[in-house]
Amino acid sequence: MFNILVVEDDAKLRQLFCTVLTRNGYQALPAVNGEDALDVLDKEYIDLIICDIMMPRMDGFELTRTLRDNNQQLPILMVTARENFADKQQGFLVGIDDYMVKPINVNEMILRVGALLRRAKIISERKIEWGETVLDYDTLTVIQGHESILLPQKEFYLLYKMISYPNKIFTKQQLMDEIWGMDSESDEHTVVVHINRLRERFRDSADFEIVTVRGLGYKAVKRG
């Protein structure tokens, strides 16, 4: 059972979130502010945090910054009544993983919690299983059935990135910045070349394909 820490100073909302999480098979632990959350984290293993921004004593931004500064990488879903872009930007800059604006649709919240936990499991295990295909980050290897393919580093990172976020469209510039680095002297044509190589290698894959979204970029989609 996953342990979810709910950090919310509004008692009714805190109780609502905890109740919904419990009904969906999670162990919910409440905290009234950031300081209270840190006390819980000292005593309990937490898999994910749902956190408000505006709270007394220690707000959500400060809590997130404190955790990231201490190299704690557990997923953080921030919920707040503040909808302006500056708050969202600040949240992602300090290290949150996802963002919801109140009033919260609790069914959507459960979907987001599940997605964040799956992503965290992928990162911690450094492997992705997609159908009969396994991507092993530590060995840069793609395993399909009895066949094991060792990919060049950049090709593997490209494939791993896209399959980590199925159906998400990545622009050439995004992929260039993330895989080659923002200071790279390579141009976007490098991405095209690597994508074409991946398509050629896995053209017969029964599990996935890389699709071009004209005018936008690329995405990995499931086959079958």
Side-chain angles (χ1 to χ4, degrees), residues 107-152:
N107 294 319
E108 181 182 352
M109 182 185 76
I110 292 299
L111 292 176
R112 289 176 183 257
V113 164
L116 287 170
L117 288 170
R118 287 193 297 275
R119 193 179 308 164
K121 184 172 184 288
I122 288 170
I123 292 170
S124 64
E125 292 186 350
R126 299 168 73 89
K127 286 185 179 180
I128 301 175
E129 295 185 14
W130 205 0
E132 298 299 316
T133 301
V134 179
L135 277 69
D136 188 328
Y137 191 94
D138 291 324
T139 63
L140 305 179
T141 300
V142 179
I143 303 164
Q144 293 188 311
H146 298 294
E147 184 180 13
S148 181
I149 304 170
L150 175 62
L151 293 183

Side-chain angles (χ1 to χ4, degrees), residues 3-223:
N3 290 336
I4 312 294
L5 178 58
V6 177
V7 191
E8 169 63 68
D9 62 326
D10 184 307
K12 289 184 179 179
L13 271 183
R14 188 171 63 247
Q15 181 60 49
L16 172 63
F17 292 167
C18 287
T19 299
V20 171
L21 287 163
T22 300
R23 287 176 179 171
N24 282 272
Y26 298 108
Q27 176 72 35
L29 294 88
V32 298
N33 56 46
E35 289 185 358
D36 191 23
L38 291 176
D39 288 340
V40 175
L41 284 160
D42 281 339
K43 301 169 186 173
E44 303 284 348
Y45 180 84
I46 300 297
D47 295 287
L48 179 145
I49 296 176
I50 297 174
C51 181
D52 190 15
I53 290 182
M54 300 300 294
M55 297 180 293
R57 303 185 68 170
M58 179 185 285
D59 66 18
F61 292 141
E62 188 177 352
L63 171 62
T64 301
R65 189 180 298 110
T66 299
L67 293 173
R68 298 310 188 222
D69 286 348
N70 285 277
N71 203 33
Q72 294 204 38
Q73 299 304 316
L74 71 168
I76 298 175
L77 170 60
M78 190 162 278
V79 296
T80 180
R82 299 166 67 170
E83 195 172 0
N84 63 74
F85 176 76
D87 287 327
K88 294 180 182 180
Q89 183 180 43
Q90 184 177 352
F92 285 112
L93 286 174
V94 297
I96 68 167
D97 297 276
D98 202 356
Y99 194 107
M100 294 187 72
V101 177
K102 297 176 182 176
I104 300 299
N105 181 317
V106 292
N107 294 319
E108 181 182 352
M109 182 185 76
I110 292 299
L111 292 176
R112 289 176 183 257
V113 164
L116 287 170
L117 288 170
R118 287 193 297 275
R119 193 179 308 164
K121 184 172 184 288
I122 288 170
I123 292 170
S124 64
E125 292 186 350
R126 299 168 73 89
K127 286 185 179 180
I128 301 175
E129 295 185 14
W130 205 0
E132 298 299 316
T133 301
V134 179
L135 277 69
D136 188 328
Y137 191 94
D138 291 324
T139 63
L140 305 179
T141 300
V142 179
I143 303 164
Q144 293 188 311
H146 298 294
E147 184 180 13
S148 181
I149 304 170
L150 175 62
L151 293 183
Q153 185 183 64
K154 294 294 194 280
E155 284 185 37
F156 183 88
Y157 290 163
L158 269 176
L159 185 61
Y160 193 91
K161 183 68 179 180
M162 288 190 290
I163 287 185
S164 294
Y165 300 88
N167 299 312
K168 176 181 172 64
I169 300 169
F170 291 94
T171 66
K172 294 174 189 174
Q173 190 61 54
Q174 280 179 308
L175 294 171
M176 175 62 64
D177 290 346
E178 292 200 34
I179 307 301
W180 279 265
M182 298 183 71
D183 297 327
S184 172
E185 295 182 1
S186 300
D187 60 27
E188 292 182 3
H189 181 67
T190 304
V191 175
V192 176
V193 170
H194 282 70
I195 290 289
N196 288 339
R197 287 175 181 166
L198 286 170
R199 281 177 167 154
E200 180 62 24
R201 290 182 192 276
F202 299 104
R203 66 182 184 276
D204 297 325
S205 172
D207 294 320
F208 70 89
E209 65 178 319
I210 299 172
V211 174
T212 299
V213 182
R214 192 170 298 279
L216 295 175
Y218 304 101
K219 64 180 180 177
V221 299
K222 289 187 175 181
R223 278 179 168 159

